Structure formats: C-alpha cells, structure tokens
Amino acid sequence: MLALALGISGLPSPLYPLYQEQWHLSPLTITVVFAGYAIGALVSALTVGPISDAVGRKPVLLVALSIILVGLAVFLIADHAWQLVLARLLHGVAVGALTVVAGAALLDLRPHDGARNGMAGGVALNTGMTVTVLAVAVAAQWAKDPLQLPYVIFAVITAAMLAILMLLSEPHVERTGGRFRITAPTVPSGIRTDFWFAAMGIVTAWSVLGVFMSLYPRLTQEATGHPSIVFVGVVISVMAAASALAQWASGRGDPRTTAIIGDLGMAVSLLLAILALHSGLTWFVIVDATVLGIAFGMAFGGSLRYLSEVVPGDARGAVMSAYYLLGYLAMAVPTVAAGAMSSRFGTLTVFPYFVGAVTLGCLAAAWLGIRGAQEPPVVVTDVKP
C-alpha cells in the first residue's frame, strides 16, 4: 500500500507536459493541481492518525483505497482543469491516509524494529514512484489514449489491493476504541528534540519533491530539447529509483548520520541541477537526477528511520500525522509559490531562486543534526502525547 501511495502521488507527473500542451495550461495551473493533492494530504495528516489509533488501521485503509478509485474515475472523465484539481484533492486525502496509517501499521506489526520499518517504508514509497512514473511515461508516449489508459490500469491494481485488504487482520490491537477527538498534532515531550530533527529531513526532502514532480518535467524538456514524455519519465524514475536504492543500502547505518549526509548531498545536487539545466546536456540532467535521488533517499529515509526508533507505542498515529503534516506543507507551499512566479517570470528564471531557498533549508537540517549528534536518541516507550 505504501508503494501504491507514492505511485498514485506520481501518476500524473509524466502527463503534466501533455496536459499543458493539449489543454494550454500555465505553470501556475499545474502547480495548483499539484497543490490540490498536497491540501488533501494535509487534511489526512491532521485527522487519520488519531482516528486510526481509536478505531484501527484497517477501516481507515479501506476508505483510503476506495477514495483512490473515485479519484481515478474523475481523472478518466476530466476535460477541465478544475476536475484535475478535484481528482488530485481526492488522491491527496487517500495517499495521506495510506502513508500515515500504513506506516503506523508497520510499527504495530514490528514494534521493536523501528529502523527496519522506516527503511522498508521508504524503499516501498520510492519503488512505487519509480515503477509508476516510468510505466505511465511509456503508456503516454505510445498509447492511443495516454490520458486515460494509465488511470484504468491503476484502477484495476487498486481494486485488487482493496479486495486483498479485506482479508487481512487488524494490526492495531491496542486501539483505544470509542469516540475520538480531532486535535492539533502533538508530539510527546520526551521526543520533541528528536522529532524536530527528523521533521527537518522530510521538510527539505519533500519541498524538493513537490517542484520536481510538477514543474521540473516541463523544465527538463525545454532545457534539453527532448519533447518525449519517456524522457520525462526517465528523469523522474531515475531519481526515485536512486532514492530507493540509497535507502536500502544505508538501512543498516546510523539514521542520524545518514540523514545529515543526505541533507548535505541535496544541497550540492540542487546547485548542480542549475548547471545541468543551463548546459542543456541530457547526460548531465540524468546524472544530477541520480545524485539528487541518492541524497533525497538518505535524507528522507534517515529521518524516517530515526523517528521510527524513538516514537512511543501509544502515540504512533499522532506522531506520524505530525511528521507527514510538515512534509505535505513543505511540498505544497514552495510548489505553488514557484508556480506563481514561473507563470510571470518563466520557470527557468525562477528555478535558481527556489534552489537557493531549499539549499539553505538543507544546510539548516544538517546543522541541526550535527549539533545534536553527540546526544544519543531517547527511546520513549510509554509517554502520553
């Protein structure tokens, strides 16, 4: 389900240049469509953690997969930009629920193996992105109906997963039951310092992900002169595949050190992305996407593993909600801002300013990690949020 979640997240990305060309959409419109997804995910991040803590993981996951099917149906009949926004809003709600609740379910199943859970979750997310983006790009390049076929295929996959989920048992045996109350995300006081270090990892990584999944596909086409949608799919899938491999390879290393190296690596590779685009060299763009993917995987994967090690058992849903809430905020706000400025000044002109801002965030995350590296993580086992 985690693989499906990020697969759905990246599903339209190779198609955005096609939507822009056929529907005459501006960069701002594309980022608003993407922001619809992030807003829906924010709603989930604020709500599904406490709900799943109360009623269990399985009911929330069943609803999330059902909403994915509805969103895919909207994509199939869409012929206006507002319908794309609606479909992405629905998918944001569903994917936000899947990432938070499936991540918490992994912790329920293996409560004493947080680092392994974090690695498995991160690898699954990026593997789903890799397979989806490349497959959609190929379908969009050669299929007769490129704006319909990918959604049909994913509808079949989602329906099959929904049927399988119905057969699985509930993993959250410690659920509180009864009524639940939606409150602002909270983090147990004993792990707040550790939480903010982990949060900086997802904030910097997902701010990069937002722009690279919305504006970067068209930008690489303009810079290199490649009109092929497959080229766009290759650039995104290479980044996602490198991220998955990096998370798997670094899975046995110290999570804090891994996240720090990843933050520094993202700062360097983002600056190189400016040079790659201005050079117009295809190999440079692909190599930089690979390096960026490795750094992204280490930054996000390291922070997720670190948080998984310290989160208390009775607050898993709430803490994961807070974590992904910050991630989706970081994905939405910079993306829409970059889209608005790109519509006025041009994406290639705006991109270096975005890179500069995110690079500062990456350096701040690394500094925060280095500052606290001498203090071992505090493993809290029974603290009320």
Side-chain angles (χ1 to χ4, degrees):
M1 283 186 287
L2 285 170
L4 176 70
L6 214 60
I8 290 293
S9 172
L11 178 59
S13 291
L15 305 178
Y16 283 146
L18 204 58
Y19 281 119
Q20 285 183 274
E21 179 183 343
Q22 294 186 9
W23 294 14
H24 308 290
L25 304 180
S26 68
L28 176 59
T29 303
I30 291 297
T31 53
V32 168
V33 172
F34 190 87
Y37 162 81
I39 291 170
L42 280 171
V43 173
S44 280
L46 283 167
T47 58
V48 296
I51 292 174
S52 70
D53 283 341
V55 304
R57 316 299 184 203
K58 185 175 176 179
V60 179
L61 294 173
L62 287 170
V63 172
L65 290 177
S66 300
I67 294 174
I68 285 178
L69 288 174
V70 175
L72 290 169
V74 175
F75 266 122
L76 282 171
I77 64 172
D79 54 9
H80 291 89
W82 71 265
Q83 293 168 314
L84 298 182
V85 175
L86 174 60
R88 291 306 277 165
L89 180 67
L90 291 169
H91 280 172
V93 171
V95 171
L98 285 176
T99 51
V100 170
V101 179
L106 276 177
L107 289 171
D108 294 328
L109 294 171
R110 297 190 297 212
H112 304 296
D113 204 355
R116 185 183 174 197
N117 293 336
M119 181 191 72
V123 170
L125 287 168
N126 285 282
T127 300
M129 174 78 76
T130 303
V131 174
T132 299
V133 169
L134 193 56
V136 169
V138 170
Q141 186 70 42
W142 289 292
K144 291 183 179 180
D145 46 2
L147 298 182
Q148 282 80 39
L149 180 62
Y151 305 119
V152 172
I153 293 173
F154 261 81
V156 173
I157 295 172
T158 305
M161 294 193 71
L162 184 62
I164 294 171
L165 178 61
M166 292 178 182
L167 303 177
L168 300 182
S169 59
E170 170 59 54
H172 187 43
V173 295
E174 299 176 356
R175 56 190 180 275
T176 59
R179 298 180 61 184
F180 53 84
R181 193 161 50 96
I182 302 302
T183 60
T186 56
V187 177
S189 58
I191 66 164
R192 282 179 186 166
T193 300
D194 295 316
F195 173 82
W196 282 112
F197 165 66
M200 284 296 294
I202 192 174
V203 164
T204 53
W206 282 27
S207 61
V208 173
L209 185 64
V211 170
F212 271 70
M213 293 299 292
S214 57
L215 295 177
Y216 200 65
R218 186 67 173 180
L219 191 56
T220 57
Q221 285 184 318
E222 294 175 354
T224 61
H226 287 291
S228 170
I229 298 177
V230 172
F231 173 72
V232 171
V234 167
V235 172
I236 299 176
S237 62
V238 159
M239 177 183 171
S243 176
L245 289 173
Q247 290 182 64
W248 175 79
S250 63
R252 295 183 180 273
D254 175 64
R256 182 193 290 270
T257 303
T258 299
I260 292 171
I261 295 173
D263 290 328
L264 294 174
M266 277 202 302
V268 173
S269 53
L270 281 170
L271 295 174
L272 289 176
I274 299 175
L275 297 178
L277 291 173
H278 278 283
S279 72
L281 298 173
T282 301
W283 68 266
F284 197 173
V285 170
I286 293 177
V287 168
D288 181 69
T290 304
V291 175
L292 181 61
I294 293 172
F296 174 91
M298 295 180 72
F300 172 56
S303 71
L304 182 58
R305 285 195 294 121
Y306 187 83
L307 183 62
S308 297
E309 285 186 345
V310 302
V311 62
D314 60 351
R316 289 171 189 146
V319 171
M320 296 307 291
S321 285
Y323 179 71
Y324 283 108
L325 170 65
L326 292 173
Y328 286 119
L329 276 172
M331 183 185 291
V333 176
T335 300
V336 174
M341 291 187 291
S342 295
S343 294
R344 182 173 181 181
F345 302 107
T347 308
L348 195 59
T349 302
V350 169
F351 187 70
Y353 294 97
F354 164 80
V355 165
V358 177
T359 297
L360 291 177
C362 292
L363 295 176
W367 172 81
L368 186 62
I370 293 170
R371 189 183 67 171
Q374 296 180 350
E375 300 178 6
V378 179
V379 180
V380 182
T381 57
D382 190 21
V383 177
K384 297 295 182 182

